[in-house]
Amino acid sequence: MADKITSREKDYSEWYNDIVKHAGLAEHSAVKGCMVIKPYGYAIWEFMQAELDRKFKETGHVNAYFPLFVPKSFLSKEAAHVEGFAKECAVVTHYRLKTSDDGKEVIVDPEAKLEEELIIRPTSETIIWNTYRNWIQSYRDLPLLINQWANVVRWEMRTRLFLRTTEFLWQEGHTAHASEEEALAETRQMLEVYAEFAEKYLGIPVIKGIKTANERFAGAVETFCIEAMMQDGKALQAGTSHFLGQNFAKAFDVTFLDKSNKPEYVWATSWGVSTRLIGALIMAHSDDDGLVLPPKLAPVQVVIVPIYKRQEELEAIGAKVAPLVQALKSKGIRAKFDNDDAKKPGWKFAEHELKGVPLRIAIGPRDMENGTAEIAFRDTKAKQSITFAELENEIPKILDQIQEGIYLKALRFREENTHYVNSYEEFKKVLDEKSGFIFAHWDGTSETEEKIKEETKATIRCIPLDNPQEDGICIYSGKPSKQRVIFARAY
RNA sequence: CGGGGUGUAGCGCAGUCCGGCUAGCGCACCUGGUUUGGGACCAGGGGGUCGUAGGUUCGAAUCCUGCCACCCCGACCA
């Protein structure tokens, strides 16, 4: 195995970068903080999109598209919202370029200054609520259940491929409801959609919870989230669903007439997941040999590598394999016969491991004689011989088994790295020596959360839903507490 | 924005300290041959404004100044 990939133990960040680069997922672009998502990485995003889009439609949502640009004045209409995003907005000030007087370069035409600057959306609540005002008049117009697939820009100081880039791709759902109960139900429903997607597709176990005031979305009344654990024990927020109350309805004057002909402000939600999920996928499952993909999101699920000496042998293997590939494709399985004559088997093995292909099948002269094949599992590295005739029926089962195995491995990892502590000393010790999720009592104040963050870099990731209630004392302040919350260092 | 590091062929690097012939190596690529059950081998070949702009010098990848980009560690955040 060529040492293309830095080991996780040696340098976790480098390992992550190596995976992204060598598996061909993305690369840095000529624009600071922005990435080029390469075809292999984008294919994974497309599988995510397809499944999420299906789930959104199934729950009654429709897609629409709103502008990239937001008038500056819109952003300032909701106080908490503007405060949350003001520091990271890209601003368009001019609409024309011209050639400089010496003819050597292109400059901004000072004559072409915009009357009102345009913000490149960091999220679309404002432009959408400004639009919804015109769409909503009566309770009969509700609920309004819209999603959009879009790019957004947040001018972060420090970026990391997929995890935090200046521009990223996401979906943002924005819904309007006639009652608080209904909006809350929608918020919870979409959280469930995300959680199920994370566990069934990404193979990543997540904890559903509520954010504390410090971590809440700017402009939300309540932020729900799914939190995942990465292999270095750090937490990653994998999706959020916000109950916005009537904050944006009031800011943009969105009212409806209820059944008794009384004007009421609309209740709102918004929810989103982004290309960050690709980063989660990498950090949850991959190993020192490369990417490990759950079958449901793998662009190639099964690769068949022929082993041969002479051209006739390759042709014979090709002829044997073609009906299998066809049969698998008709079952919806993404199978590939890697008959590239320029690469040797060993090279192909390494390459497909690097790219995370879940299942590899090798067929050589011995197999041709015996009517067998060698199957190799990417996730466990296990290899075994199987009769060729069984492949067609076994492969779908094996892929399901791999999908499940990846999830269970991640779940076991999370359980092994979840700790319960009862004192601040113990808290700091566990955080430094073991990392992971720490369940501890907290007095419920922002001040305490702030202090702990300053001193340890750990934040409250969430208060789990259906959290068991138990009396205890806050590890920091010693004040009484009714429940434990999850602390962790986070991405 | 602070601290540290890097920028030389598609990729990975040496050369830079101490300026000097035609800028080198591995991988990849092209041609031919031998190979093929875990990143094959031999022979021949193509590919470079040495990040960029300026300066010093007879002469700059090498010295000086500015700028740009990226990586790692912080602060900010999804």
Side-chain angles (χ1 to χ4, degrees), chain A residues 306 308 310-323 337 363-365 368 388:
Chain A
Y308 57 96
R310 299 184 313 279
Q311 198 59 29
E312 307 89 77
E313 287 174 314
L314 173 60
E315 280 162 23
I317 295 169
K320 175 124 179 152
V321 159
F337 178 48
I363 297 177
M368 291 296 279
F388 189 87

Side-chain angles (χ1 to χ4, degrees), chain A residues 99-169:
Chain A
T99 307
S100 63
D101 292 342
D102 62 10
K104 286 186 177 163
E105 55 180 343
V106 173
I107 59 168
V108 174
D109 186 344
E111 301 293 308
K113 196 170 182 342
L114 289 169
E115 283 289 316
E116 179 179 3
E117 290 96 336
L118 296 171
I119 310 302
I120 298 181
R121 62 179 167 219
T123 178
S124 300
E125 273 77 6
T126 58
I127 187 85
I128 285 178
W129 281 91
N130 185 68
T131 308
Y132 281 2
R133 180 176 55 237
N134 300 324
W135 291 2
I136 297 168
Q137 269 120 43
S138 108
Y139 71 92
R140 294 178 194 278
D141 297 323
L142 299 173
L144 187 57
L145 306 173
I146 292 181
N147 174 66
Q148 88 164 340
W149 290 96
N151 58 339
V152 287
V153 167
R154 295 181 189 176
W155 215 268
E156 301 289 352
M157 286 172 180
R158 192 171 155 208
T159 58
R160 294 196 66 189
L161 293 170
F162 290 115
L163 297 176
R164 179 170 294 105
T165 47
T166 300
E167 179 192 16
F168 58 92
L169 304 182

